[in-house]
Amino acid sequence: DVKVTQSSRYLVKRTGEKVFLECVQDMDHENMFWYRQDPGLGLRLIYFSYDVKMKEKGDIPEGYSVSREKKERFSLILESASTNQTSMYLCASRDEQGAQPQHFGDGTRLSIL
Amino acid sequence: QKEVEQDPGPLSVPEGAIVSLNCTYSNSAFQYFMWYRQYSRKGPELLMYTYSSGNKEDGRFTAQVDKSSKYISLFIRDSQPSDSATYLCAPRKDSWGKLQFGAGTQVVVTP
C-alpha cells in the first residue's frame, strides 16, 4: 500500500511566520502535489512537482513556494503566513506511468492567528 | 463557472437505499474520471476511475460517464452507515495526472 505521510495533523502559527509543511511518500513516485481544501471550494492545486527539483505552479500558488530536494519528500512553504491561509493542506503522490491515480495523506489542518 | 460542479448535499438516505451522486463538467478534453471518498479528518482515498464514456462496476459501486452531456455519476447500492463520507468527483486534466476536483457531496447513511 502507498503511504503518504504529512508531518503534522494540526498546526497553529502566527501571522508573518514562515511555515513549513512536510510530506513524505514511500513508493518512489515521481509526481507529488500540494492542495488546500476549503468548504465549498473543494481541493485546489497549489503546486505540483513532476520530479526531483522540478516544480510547476498550480491554480493558487500566490503566497506559497515548494521544495523537492529528494524524490520522497515534498515541502510546502508559506513565506509569510496570513490568516487567509488558514486551511486544510493535503499532499498527494502518484506514479507517472499511465493512468495511475493520486494517493493522499491525511492532511495538515493549519490555523494562522 | 467552475470547471466541475457537484451538489454539496448533505444527502441523507436510510441504510440499504441506493445512493446516487453526480457531477457535471465543462472541459470536453477530460478523458479519465476519478471518484474519491473522504472520511472526516482523513485524506481522500480513490474509489474507482473510468476512462471515456461508459460504465464501470466494483462491488456495490458503479461509475458512469456520459461525455456527450459531460455528466458523471456514482451509484452506491445497498448503502451502509460506513458509506457516510464526502464523495469527490475529479476528472483528470492532463498527462501529469493533475485533477480538477468538484467541491464534494456529503452523504449520510442512517441505520
Side-chain angles (χ1 to χ4, degrees), chain A residues 4 10 15 22 26 30 32-33 38 44 50-51 60 72 78 80 88 92-93 98-99 110-111:
Chain A
V4 178
Y10 301 94
T15 305
E22 306 288 345
D26 67 354
E30 294 83 5
M32 295 188 75
F33 307 79
D38 300 289
R44 293 178 291 166
Y50 47 96
D51 211 334
I60 51 164
E72 67 271 17
L78 285 66
S80 177
M88 169 69 85
S93 72
L110 176 64
S111 295

Side-chain angles (χ1 to χ4, degrees), chain A residues 9 37 40 56 94 102 106, chain B residues 36 38 41 96-98:
Chain A
R9 291 302 304 275
Q37 184 175 27
E56 186 178 296
R94 75 177 281 270
Q102 293 182 27
D106 282 336
Chain B
Y36 281 83
Q38 186 176 22
R41 290 185 290 277
W96 291 114
K98 293 199 210 76

Side-chain angles (χ1 to χ4, degrees), chain A residues 9-10 31 33 35 37 40 42-43 45 48 50 56 59 90 94 96 98-99 101-102 104-106, chain B residues 2 32 34 36 38 41-44 46 49 88 92-103:
Chain A
R9 291 302 304 275
Y10 301 94
N31 303 158
F33 307 79
Y35 294 89
Q37 184 175 27
L43 278 76
L45 182 65
F48 160 63
Y50 47 96
E56 186 178 296
D59 299 318
L90 289 158
R94 75 177 281 270
E96 68 177 3
Q102 293 182 27
F104 285 84
D106 282 336
Chain B
K2 294 180 183 177
Y32 289 90
M34 316 284 183
Y36 281 83
Q38 186 176 22
R41 290 185 290 277
K42 301 285 277 184
L46 181 73
Y49 69 89
L88 304 157
R92 197 175 89 165
K93 292 171 69 166
D94 62 17
S95 59
W96 291 114
K98 293 199 210 76
L99 301 174
Q100 187 69 49
F101 280 89

Side-chain angles (χ1 to χ4, degrees), chain A residues 55-92:
Chain A
K55 62 187 179 184
E56 186 178 296
K57 291 179 181 178
D59 299 318
I60 51 164
E62 296 78 18
Y64 303 95
S65 63
V66 290
S67 172
R68 192 156 178 217
E69 296 297 318
K70 293 185 177 181
K71 195 172 187 180
E72 67 271 17
R73 186 179 297 271
F74 191 33
S75 303
L76 180 70
I77 304 156
L78 285 66
E79 298 291 343
S80 177
S82 64
T83 54
N84 63 11
Q85 292 178 309
T86 292
S87 187
M88 169 69 85
Y89 289 87
L90 289 158
C91 174

